[in-house]
Amino acid sequence: MGRILAIDVGTKRVGLALSDPLRLIASPWGSLPRDGKLWEQLKAICAKEGVDLIVVGYVPRTITGQRQPW
């Protein structure tokens, strides 16, 4: 069983958190610019850190339930 990478997509940057090998605690990993190199960087992080599951955050919603603009 590998680690979990959590992704929070923003308009300019993508925030990342990584679980420990036992998947008990997640810690901030850092952020990446949302550009043309994002997928290559994410693949490299997954390979290096032993990630086998990725979790992506939902689109934020307003108090009325409407989607926030990206």
Side-chain angles (χ1 to χ4, degrees), residues 20-42:
D20 65 286
L22 295 176
R23 296 180 165 185
L24 298 174
I25 299 172
S27 301
W29 189 90
S31 63
L32 299 171
R34 191 173 166 185
D35 60 15
K37 299 176 186 175
L38 178 61
W39 293 114
E40 289 80 19
Q41 292 173 324
L42 287 174

Side-chain angles (χ1 to χ4, degrees), residues 2-4 6 8-9 11-12 16-17 20 22-23 29-30 37 40-41 46 49 52-54 57-58 63 66 69:
R3 295 173 135 184
I4 300 171
D8 183 20
V9 180
T11 55
K12 296 180 182 180
L16 304 173
D20 65 286
L22 295 176
R23 296 180 165 185
W29 189 90
K37 299 176 186 175
E40 289 80 19
Q41 292 173 324
C46 289
E49 301 291 347
D52 69 357
L53 179 66
I54 296 175
Y58 287 117
I63 197 164
Q66 294 182 340

